[in-house]
Amino acid sequence: MFFVPLIVAGIVLLLLWLGWRFFLGGARLQVERATIATPTDLACEPVDIPAVDAPPSRPLSGAGGVFAWMKAWPVGMLLPMLALPLVAAVVAITLHFGGYHKDPQFVPSEYAHGNQIRQALLEEKLVPPPPLPPSAFVDAVAEKPQLALDKADRDWARMDPAFVQDVLRVMERMKARGFPMVLLEGYRSAERQNKLAGGSTKVTQAKGGESKHQYGLAADLAPVRGGKVVISERDPWAMQAYNALGEEAQAAGLTWGGVWSFRDYGHIERAGSLRALLSQRNKK
């Protein structure tokens, strides 16, 4: 409503100009005319001035013009026109101070934020798919023994709930693209992390406490073909699935391990530094 004061100021200036133009200016003009018409020397002899044609009459100006205009116009039309500036000023002032009657607790930004929270609560929560039978992991475990069921944790409940929803949405999009995915490992203890980092076959560069797996913010996925988990990077179909995983993960705002110097094609995690994510979690 920043333009309301400008409207009020314009109306005030208009009223002041009309007052000066038709009243103050007109009165001063009448005084000047009267002064000029009054003889200053009463003793002077009259002088014969030859008669000339009188100049054509001009419309009255100043106060005289206003009074003549008022006489010409009917009173029923004159009063609304005089009241129009006053009505406009009242409306402008009402609009200007109308904002002070709002509820002080009602803030549009807070209302919008509340709508976002309400919408998030109304969103349907995705449910993790049922676990695959151990026979589906036979080929994967043969290639990477560390993925054995007694070593890798595939319990969705031990992961961060919000991150689980992100992973499940990515898995839904992957399935729509023809690449159904399965969780190979979610939560990982610090002890297991150290073993994977220091084993003969190096799986990760992060030590215990340095990986987002320890905080439920990372997941290792793999594509499923014909009921079997395929993790071999030498398989062209599997590599297509991993590249698609990278596209979907990055579109969802997640980090994909396939872009690291130490390639981890099936790894996705919450974006951001671990310290910042933990600090944000502690504030909740």
Side-chain angles (χ1 to χ4, degrees):
M1 300 298 292
F2 64 91
F3 58 88
V4 174
L6 298 178
I7 297 176
V8 176
I11 294 175
V12 172
L13 293 175
L14 178 61
L15 294 176
L16 291 175
W17 181 83
L18 290 174
W20 178 87
R21 176 67 177 83
F22 293 105
F23 292 96
L24 297 180
R28 187 181 63 182
L29 184 58
Q30 294 297 330
V31 171
E32 292 176 354
R33 288 179 177 177
T35 304
I36 296 173
T38 303
T40 57
D41 188 0
L42 298 178
C44 63
E45 296 180 359
V47 179
D48 294 334
I49 301 176
V52 295
D53 295 336
S57 60
R58 292 181 297 175
L60 295 176
S61 60
V66 173
F67 292 133
W69 176 74
M70 292 176 64
K71 291 178 181 179
W73 284 81
V75 178
M77 298 179 63
L78 180 62
L79 292 180
M81 296 184 67
L82 292 177
L84 183 60
L86 179 60
V87 173
V90 172
V91 172
I93 295 174
T94 303
L95 293 174
H96 175 66
F97 289 101
Y100 295 100
H101 299 285
K102 294 181 180 178
D103 185 356
Q105 296 181 351
F106 177 81
V107 181
S109 59
E110 295 180 0
Y111 181 75
H113 182 62
N115 275 344
Q116 293 176 357
I117 296 177
R118 205 160 24 249
Q119 184 65 26
L121 293 176
L122 292 176
E123 285 183 0
E124 182 180 0
K125 299 298 182 182
L126 300 178
V127 179
L132 295 178
S135 58
F137 294 89
V138 172
D139 296 339
V141 172
E143 187 164 347
K144 293 184 178 180
Q146 66 270 18
L147 295 176
L149 189 59
D150 59 336
K151 297 179 181 180
D153 194 326
R154 303 189 184 103
D155 186 359
W156 290 93
R158 302 192 68 181
M159 300 170 60
D160 181 82
F163 177 68
V164 167
Q165 293 299 309
D166 293 338
V167 176
L168 292 177
R169 293 188 188 97
V170 170
M171 292 177 64
E172 274 197 341
R173 290 191 286 269
M174 288 293 295
K175 185 177 181 180
R177 295 180 62 168
F179 302 109
M181 307 295 287
V182 66
L183 177 66
L184 290 180
E185 186 170 9
Y187 169 78
R188 183 185 296 162
S189 66
E191 293 77 15
R192 173 169 167 77
Q193 186 72 33
N194 285 328
K195 290 181 180 179
L196 294 176
S200 57
T201 303
K202 197 169 186 179
V203 178
T204 178
Q205 291 182 329
K207 298 180 181 179
E210 298 176 351
S211 172
K212 294 177 183 177
H213 277 288
Q214 278 85 75
Y215 307 95
L217 297 173
D220 292 331
L221 305 179
V224 180
R225 181 179 58 193
K228 299 289 185 179
V229 178
V230 182
I231 64 172
S232 175
E233 299 170 2
R234 297 183 298 273
D235 188 303
W237 179 85
M239 279 306 302
Q240 291 180 10
Y242 285 135
N243 289 326
L245 175 63
E247 295 173 0
E248 297 297 340
Q250 291 175 344
L254 303 177
T255 298
W256 178 48
V259 297
W260 295 342
S261 58
F262 184 84
R263 307 288 183 181
D264 195 351
Y265 293 103
H267 179 95
I268 61 175
E269 64 178 32
R270 178 66 58 81
S273 67
L274 181 57
R275 177 178 296 181
L277 293 174
L278 295 179
S279 176
Q280 184 179 7
R281 175 185 288 182
N282 294 332
K283 292 179 180 178
K284 295 181 180 180

